[in-house]
């Protein structure tokens, strides 16, 4: 007899089914199409060109992930140990980069690091036109942009993992005379090795389907990823079957990686947290300030560059024209700015709320039933790039008998939920793991049933994690564009779609202004998410 | 008819197998005593229904509760780590188990319970502000509040320090006497069990070694393990006394032996020329450690041992004949 | 209770937003027409903003406009939808991908086809009827101080190192156009041009948006675009700073067309729409799309003086494009 009466299984099951179905449908559609005529699945798998693409894609993803993680570790160690003024602000700002769609990262980078960008203009001004540095349009620019977008992920995940671990072992090590470095490598690193691997995998999977950044900032047609090739086969070749075969190939590679890194593997159960943040003073405070400055210098400028561009033309003339443009079109309806903002908010809230609730059920269920399969299953959507996902959804959309605005909304919402779920689950799992099983069992000895125990005892303890999951899900949904484009059919315009339209209309200022709105919303969300830390110490 | 009956409880562990049947009377405080890793906690969890790995049958007040889910069993439990609900304050924790009780009555009962555990006025306190001793008392109050048919306590003192333990265990005994709730108390601390139990059940490696009142177990342990587990004592191998051929060793308590120099009685058994190894002053007497033919002997003595060689006298009716392990 | 109320309130607001956006969808009992077009066409800033309302007013036919990404997606969509498609007219199909669409369309011999310059009627069977065209050209920044190049070969010179922004033919129709241009203009040496340029250019962007964006942000003074690009800057930004370069090699054109979908239930309305495109919509189309109208009798605003019309032009077919792409990939990437 299951001591929980199968409650957790029953709770997680509907959420699991929904997530799987909504995910399986587009994947299945792509899968089926890759076997249809016009494609040659076998050929795709054996074509050396495919493998060359794979080699490049793997290489750029690997480097990006490695550097992001390595860079984040020292910062995370410091931030998880000490508290100081501005700590939360830096964490929030770093999180906000998560919501940046690739096109904005490119825009920000170009404005800041470009040959005619702020950095170069400053150098030229200082040196009288002699100094300049070509940062972009090279392989290292790709890595730089990827690290920029993913450092926050690594920083955030590793910091939160370290923060929730007691540092007793480290203290013991120091007392025994080991130096800080030795303690770090011998004690701390093994403890977080699970998190580091999971973070690395996550970032790898983010960078794998990247193509806008690779192509625009890479500077050379040789830099071409598998996802870019999928894009080409879909939109240039008009060969949906061919792109489907490649999409399946790509999916298999990424899924294999997920499984191989044991992504569903149970992390060590951490129960009691004896981890209190020490207030940094003196030398440590100086170090804190230095670290904050470094992060700020790395993370802020591209976003600030966009902010600048929203108010100044490229010639440096201050103007509010972009904002006037946006406000002028502010009536409800497709393709207008207020409409786009409302749509984005609506869809982001919807996907975040749905995902957080489903993710809580799944996370709690998987922890209590000890099922690793569940976590793996919900992580699978990360193995699909957004172009492929958009492809799959468009196959489905084509089959639907009835199409109107409401259907488009629902499809977009479904796609966003699929994209967002793995992160929601991932954010809530540590919280679920920290709740000792004793608590719901104790509740049951007092006469309450499992549902009541979950509602009154376990879920309140998940609150800070749910908040975080909500913030990340919201931000991710805000920035999602590829799948949305494929499904909206012009009926649903979100902020990123509008940004693309603006850019297509030569209106970079408008795009920058919208980007500012996007970032402001994202930062607000994250600020809310970061406040209220671990409210309830679990005893 | 026994109140709680456990029949044929079995489970295979890595190093031993749990295999036990026992029963309890209504209103008694039974302690399950045994070394760590003897399966006691698993047994308790199985009774509560929160561990499903033990096979067997459970009867409570004549009813078979084996397949009844946890929340319907009305079995309360107090855990080693208190397991208070962190998102609720003291009051809400205590009131969690109060079902079908109107609001004012809940408040009244809460105050009464808090007084019973000597924490009046703690109702609005936050759970993470409590000290260990306070938390355990709240856990106790919470369990009692649900009016369980039987209360299980799983090594509730393990997480507390020594002086606290003494005070708390008498609180538990008092609560037991006041509320007359049947209690099953698991511990590895002999002193604790002896202090509060009506009866003690001694477990080793998953099996029931002995069951009886503290006095019975101390005075008449059924085997050497129980004898050693329930108190200090000395063991003499049988060939040296040829007393009762059916058993291998003789066992006696330190207070039942005397170091003296005079003419032995018929009823005394004498160990001649034992070497005094060391002695400790206990405040009320001396505990003397001697060596007799290579075996360690413990004797309580009113006086400090003056000489290095002594004779030990044991009254024959105080000798316990037991099997060697 | 509070929670239930707030959930209901949220649902009502959400429904309101969605409803407001769908208000424009068709009422029953009206003549309707469903048009699929690419993204940029739809939306308030696209041509649709002026063309569609004008059409609806003139004819009383309600247009249901469906946007799908790029032109190619439109074709994909109709093909995927198969017999169930509700599409009557597809719009925005350029000549280089025309081959992929023919089997989905039925012919229409519109009476206005004769107003179109012959060079631009690329489908003899009139399944795809052109409505505007553009010519690819390099646009340069007159304020950058560089010496404007005069032909494709010039771009490979050292003086233009890191000064040119190209677009990848694999992911963008402008890129494909550039590729066809080099093939048509340079003959056998087209691949070596590309080999040199991939090193000499600043970057090869993934699409026109990012490429042109880099250009206007000043990253490089030359970019591949259209001869009509400067028109936008003249009309909306009041500047003649960006100018199109006419090359001696001649220019590749791209012709945009529309067609009636096979099996349409609204043939009459579809025909009316095509006719409208070829007549009253010509100016709006040209302006909004930054292209030239196919109707040679239309008079263009003064700004179009800045869009030089090339004398020598090339046109291509989609079969050719696919083959060339494979050759290109083999040479440049492998």
């Amino acid at each position: 007899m299951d001591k929980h009466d199968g409650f957790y299984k029953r709770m997680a099951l509907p959420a699991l089914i929904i997530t799987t179905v909504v995910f399986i449908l587009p994947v299945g559609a792509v899968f089926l199409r890759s076997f249809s005529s016009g494609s040659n699945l076998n050929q795709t798998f054996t074509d050396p060109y495919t493998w060359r693409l794979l080699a490049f894609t793997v290489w750029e993803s690997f480097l990006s992930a490695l550097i992001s993680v390595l860079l984040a570790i020292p910062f995370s160690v410091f931030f998880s140990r000490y508290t100081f003024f501005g700590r939360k602000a830096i964490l929030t700002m770093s999180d906000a980069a998560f919501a940046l769609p690739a096109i904005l990262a490119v825009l920000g980078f170009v404005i800041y690091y470009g040959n005619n960008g702020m950095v170069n203009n400053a150098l030229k001004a200082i040196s009288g036109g002699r100094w300049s540095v070509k940062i972009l349009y090279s392989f290292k620019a790709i890595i730089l942009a990827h690290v920029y977008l993913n450092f926050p992920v690594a920083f955030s995940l590793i910091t939160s993992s370290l923060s929730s671990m007691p540092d007793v072992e480290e203290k013991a090590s120091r007392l025994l005379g080991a130096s800080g470095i030795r303690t770090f490598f011998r004690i701390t690193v093994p403890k977080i090795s699970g998190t580091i691997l999971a973070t690395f995998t996550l970032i790898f999977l983010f960078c794998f389907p990247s193509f806008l950044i690779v192509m625009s900032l890479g500077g050379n047609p040789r830099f071409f990823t598998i996802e870019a090739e999928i894009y080409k086969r879909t939109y240039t070749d008009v060969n949906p079957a061919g792109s489907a075969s490649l999409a399946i190939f790509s999916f298999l590679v990424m899924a294999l990686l997920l499984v191989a890194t044991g992504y569903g593997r149970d992390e060590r159960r951490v129960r009691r947290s004896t981890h209190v943040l020490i207030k940094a003073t003196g030398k440590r405070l100086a170090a804190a300030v230095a670290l904050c400055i470094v992060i700020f210098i790395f993370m802020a400028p591209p976003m600030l560059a966009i902010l600048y561009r929203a108010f100044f033309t490229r010639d440096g003339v201050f103007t509010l024209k972009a904002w006037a443009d946006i406000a002028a079109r502010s009536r409800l309806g497709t393709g207008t700015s207020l409409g786009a903002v409302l749509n984005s908010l609506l869809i982001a809230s919807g996907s975040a709320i749905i995902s957080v609730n489903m993710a809580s059920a799944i996370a709690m269920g998987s922890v209590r039933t000890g099922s690793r399969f569940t976590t793996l299953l919900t992580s699978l959507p990360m193995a699909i790039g957004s172009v492929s996902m958009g492809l799959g959804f468009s196959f489905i959309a084509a089959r639907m008998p009835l199409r109107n605005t409401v259907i488009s909304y629902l499809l977009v919402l479904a796609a966003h939920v699929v994209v967002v779920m793995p992160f929601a689950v991932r954010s809530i799992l540590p919280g679920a793991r920290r709740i000792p099983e004793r608590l719901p069992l104790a509740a049951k000895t007092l006469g309450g049933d499992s549902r009541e125990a979950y509602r009154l005892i376990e879920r309140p303890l998940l609150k800070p994690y749910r908040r975080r999951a909500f913030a990340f899900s919201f931000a991710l949904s805000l920035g999602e564009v590829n799948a949305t484009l494929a499904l909206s059919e012009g009926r649903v315009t979100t902020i990123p779609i509008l940004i693309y339209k603006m850019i297509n209309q030569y209106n970079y200022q408008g795009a920058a202004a919208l980007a500012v709105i996007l970032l402001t919303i994202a930062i607000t969300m994250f600020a809310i998410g970061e406040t209220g830390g671990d409210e309830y110490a679990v005893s | 008819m026994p109140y709680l009956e456990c029949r044929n409880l079995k489970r295979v562990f890595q190093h031993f197998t749990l295999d036990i049947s026992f029963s309890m009377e209504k209103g008694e405080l039974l302690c399950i005593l045994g070394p760590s890793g003897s399966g006691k906690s698993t047994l308790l969890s199985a009774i509560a229904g929160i561990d499903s790995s033990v096979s067997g049958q459970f009867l409570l007040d004549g009813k078979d509760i084996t397949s009844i889910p946890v929340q319907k069993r009305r079995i309360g439990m107090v855990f080693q780590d208190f397991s208070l609900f962190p998102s609720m304050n003291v009051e809400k924790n205590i009131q969690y188990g109060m079902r079908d009780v109107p609001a004012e009555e809940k408040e009244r009962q809460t105050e009464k319970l808090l007084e019973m555990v000597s924490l009046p006025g703690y109702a609005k306190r936050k759970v993470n502000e409590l000290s260990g001793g306070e938390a355990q008392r709240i856990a106790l109050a919470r369990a009692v509040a649900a009016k369980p048919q039987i209360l299980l306590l799983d090594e509730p003192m393990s997480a507390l320090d020594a002086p606290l333990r003494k005070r708390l265990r008498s609180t538990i005994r008092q609560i037991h006497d006041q509320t007359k709730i049947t209690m099953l108390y698991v511990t590895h601390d002999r002193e604790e069990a002896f202090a509060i139990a009506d009866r003690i059940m001694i477990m080793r490696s998953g099996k029931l070694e002995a069951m009886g009142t503290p006095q019975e177990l101390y005075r008449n342990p059924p085997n050497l393990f129980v004898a050693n587990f329930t108190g200090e004592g000395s063991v003499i191998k049988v060939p040296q006394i040829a007393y009762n051929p059916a058993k291998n060793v003789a066992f006696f308590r330190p207070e039942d032996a005397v170091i003296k120099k005079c003419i032995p009685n018929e009823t005394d058994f004498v160990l001649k020329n034992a070497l005094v190894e060391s002695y400790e002053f206990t405040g009320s007497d001396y505990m003397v450690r001697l060596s007799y033919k290579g075996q360690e002997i413990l004797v309580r003595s009113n006086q400090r041992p003056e000489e290095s060689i002594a004779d030990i006298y044991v009254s024959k009716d105080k000798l316990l004949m037991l099997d060697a392990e | 209770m509070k929670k239930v109320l707030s959930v209901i309130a949220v649902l009502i607001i959400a429904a309101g937003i969605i409803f407001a956006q769908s208000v424009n969808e068709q009422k029953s009992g009206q003549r309707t027409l469903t048009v699929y077009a690419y993204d940029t066409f739809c939306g308030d800033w696209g041509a649709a903003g002026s063309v569609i309302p004008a059409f609806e007013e003139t004819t009383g036919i309600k247009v249901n406009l469906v946007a799908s990404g790029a032109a190619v997606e439109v074709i994909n969509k109709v093909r995927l939808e198969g017999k169930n498609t509700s599409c009557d007219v597809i719009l925005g199909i350029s000549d280089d991908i025309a081959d992929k669409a023919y089997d989905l369309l039925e012919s229409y011999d519109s009476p206005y086809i004769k107003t179109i310059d012959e060079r631009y009627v690329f489908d003899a069977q009139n399944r795809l009827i052109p409505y505007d065209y553009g010519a690819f050209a390099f646009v340069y920044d007159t304020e950058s101080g560089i010496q404007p190049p005069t032909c494709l070969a010039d771009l490979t010179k050292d003086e233009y190192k890191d000064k040119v922004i190209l677009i990848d033919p694999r992911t963008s129709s402008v890129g494909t156009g550039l590729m066809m241009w080099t093939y048509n203009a340079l003959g056998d040496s087209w691949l070596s041009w590309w080999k040199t340029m991939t090193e000499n250019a600043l970057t090869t962007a993934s699409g026109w948006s990012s490429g042109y964006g880099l250009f206007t942000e000043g990253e490089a003074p030359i970019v591949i675009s259209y001869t009509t690009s400067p028109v936008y800057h003249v009309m909306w930004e009041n500047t003649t700073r960006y100018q199109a370069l006419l090359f001696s090699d001649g220019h590749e054109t791209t012709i945009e067309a529309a067609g009636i979908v096979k099996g349409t239930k609204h043939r009459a309305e579809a025909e009316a729409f095509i006719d409208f495109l070829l007549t009253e919509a010509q100016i709006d189309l040209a302006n909004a799309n930054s292209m030239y109208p196919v109707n040679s009798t239309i008079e263009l605003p003064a700004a179009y003086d800045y869009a030089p019309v090339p004398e020598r032009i090339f046109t291509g077919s989609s079969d050719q494009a696919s083959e060339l792409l494979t050759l290109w990939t083999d040479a440049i990437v492998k």
Side-chain angles (χ1 to χ4, degrees), chain B residues 121-149:
Chain B
Y122 266 59
K124 302 292 182 190
R125 294 249 188 138
K126 293 227 174 306
V127 152
N128 53 13
E129 291 169 7
L130 301 172
S131 72
E134 289 168 346
Q136 196 55 289
R137 280 182 278 170
I138 300 295
L140 196 52
R142 179 177 74 176
V144 171
K147 299 206 173 24
Q149 292 185 283

Side-chain angles (χ1 to χ4, degrees), chain A residues 4 24 73 217 288 380 406 538:
Chain A
H4 296 296
I24 289 287
I73 291 180
L217 298 180
L380 274 184
V406 175
V538 180

Side-chain angles (χ1 to χ4, degrees), chain A residues 323-492:
Chain A
W323 300 93
D325 275 346
I326 292 177
R329 303 282 195 167
S330 290
R331 47 166 223 280
L332 285 178
T334 23
T336 63
S337 311
L338 186 61
V341 172
L342 282 176
N343 281 336
S344 279
L345 287 176
L346 191 63
I347 293 174
S349 317
S351 19
I353 291 177
I354 293 175
S355 306
V356 167
N357 280 308
M358 290 210 290
S360 300
I362 291 178
M364 207 73 235
S366 102
V367 165
R368 293 278 176 255
T369 57
S371 161
R372 293 172 354 187
F373 175 70
T374 318
T375 346
L376 189 62
L377 195 61
T378 48
S379 306
L380 274 184
M382 291 199 298
I384 297 216
S386 46
V387 173
S388 311
M389 176 121 65
L391 189 68
F393 271 111
S394 68
F395 289 154
I396 295 176
R399 288 272 172 273
M400 300 196 79
L402 180 68
R403 242 99 53 69
N404 54 31
T405 304
V406 175
I407 301 280
S408 292
Y409 259 100
L410 291 176
L411 283 174
V412 169
L413 196 60
H416 281 224
V417 167
V418 171
V419 166
V420 154
M421 271 298 285
F423 301 99
V425 171
R426 231 221 153 276
S427 300
I428 298 184
L429 263 181
R433 287 192 185 116
R434 283 187 64 191
I435 304 178
E437 199 181 16
R438 278 272 175 76
L439 285 183
L441 290 175
K444 291 174 79 165
T445 63
L446 294 167
D449 64 13
S450 288
R451 169 170 290 117
E452 197 186 86
Y454 173 70
R455 201 169 51 88
L456 294 176
I457 296 165
E458 289 176 306
R459 208 166 62 182
L461 292 175
L462 287 180
K463 245 211 295 203
Y465 298 90
R466 281 164 61 100
R467 211 184 291 133
R468 234 152 151 265
F470 184 89
F472 269 94
S473 305
F474 193 96
L476 210 52
S477 167
L478 271 184
E480 208 302 313
V481 67
N482 278 310
T484 319
L485 264 177
L487 290 170
S488 67
E489 299 185 345
R491 296 191 185 100
V492 182

Side-chain angles (χ1 to χ4, degrees), chain A residues 33 47-49 52-53 103 106-107 110-111 113-117 134 136-137 211-212 215-224 228-229 231-240 309 314-315 321 325-326 329 331-337 339-340 342-343 346 353 391 394-395 397-401 403-406 409 459 485-486 488-493 497-498 500-508, chain C residues 3 10 13-14 16-18 20-25 36 39-46 64-70 72-73 75-77 79-82 84-86 97 100 143 161-162 168-173 176 194 198-199 201-220 225-226 228-230 232-233 236-237 241-242 288 290 322 325 328-329 332-334:
Chain A
R33 188 138 277 262
D47 187 358
Y49 180 53
R52 259 204 89 216
L53 285 177
I103 183 91
V106 171
L107 189 67
V110 167
I111 299 175
Y113 290 114
N115 289 354
N116 193 32
K134 186 177 164 193
L136 299 179
Y137 318 118
F211 80 99
L212 203 71
M215 297 181 68
S216 306
L217 298 180
N220 193 308
R222 279 202 320 269
F223 301 142
F224 208 61
E229 179 68 20
Y231 184 92
K232 163 187 172 258
R233 292 190 191 183
T234 316
Y235 301 123
T236 310
D237 285 351
V238 197
N239 181 6
R309 213 43 195 89
R314 71 188 89 80
D315 299 316
K321 179 167 166 290
D325 275 346
I326 292 177
R329 303 282 195 167
R331 47 166 223 280
L332 285 178
T334 23
T336 63
S337 311
L342 282 176
N343 281 336
L346 191 63
I353 291 177
L391 189 68
S394 68
F395 289 154
R399 288 272 172 273
M400 300 196 79
R403 242 99 53 69
N404 54 31
T405 304
V406 175
Y409 259 100
R459 208 166 62 182
L485 264 177
S488 67
E489 299 185 345
R491 296 191 185 100
V492 182
T493 309
I497 291 184
L498 203 54
Y500 264 103
K501 286 192 182 179
M502 290 275 196
I503 292 179
N504 278 330
Q505 302 287 332
Y506 300 88
N507 191 349
Y508 296 94
Chain C
K3 215 175 160 206
V10 165
I13 295 177
I17 294 176
I18 299 180
Q21 310 222 13
S22 59
V23 130
N24 287 326
E25 282 173 8
Y36 285 12
D39 241 4
T40 352
F41 183 85
C42 316
D44 283 346
W45 289 275
N64 183 20
L65 187 61
V66 176
S68 322
V72 158
E73 271 178 85
I75 300 177
N76 271 340
K77 219 164 129 66
R79 191 180 300 283
L80 283 175
E81 289 171 3
N84 283 333
T85 183
S86 50
I97 55 172
K100 303 188 164 112
E143 286 178 23
K161 174 134 186 74
D162 279 352
D168 197 311
R170 293 170 296 183
T171 51
S172 159
S173 54
T176 318
W194 276 98
T198 50
E199 300 303 319
L202 178 71
T203 182
T204 311
S206 59
W208 181 86
S209 351
S210 31
Y212 205 80
L214 292 173
F215 171 69
T216 53
E217 291 300 315
E219 291 298 293
S225 184
Y226 301 89
T228 40
S229 289
Y232 172 84
H233 297 286
W236 301 106
E237 293 179 2
R241 173 178 173 176
Y242 302 113
S290 274
S322 307
L325 257 181
W328 186 92
T329 313
I332 305 298
V333 178
K334 288 197 186 164

Side-chain angles (χ1 to χ4, degrees), chain C residues 27-68:
Chain C
K27 314 175 184 72
S28 59
Q30 225 188 352
R31 292 174 74 193
T32 62
L33 183 70
T34 304
V35 177
Y36 285 12
Y38 56 88
D39 241 4
T40 352
F41 183 85
C42 316
D44 283 346
W45 289 275
S50 40
V51 169
I52 303 291
F55 175 73
E56 287 179 335
E57 233 190 87
T58 315
T59 62
I61 302 173
K62 180 86 181 66
V63 173
N64 183 20
L65 187 61
V66 176
S68 322

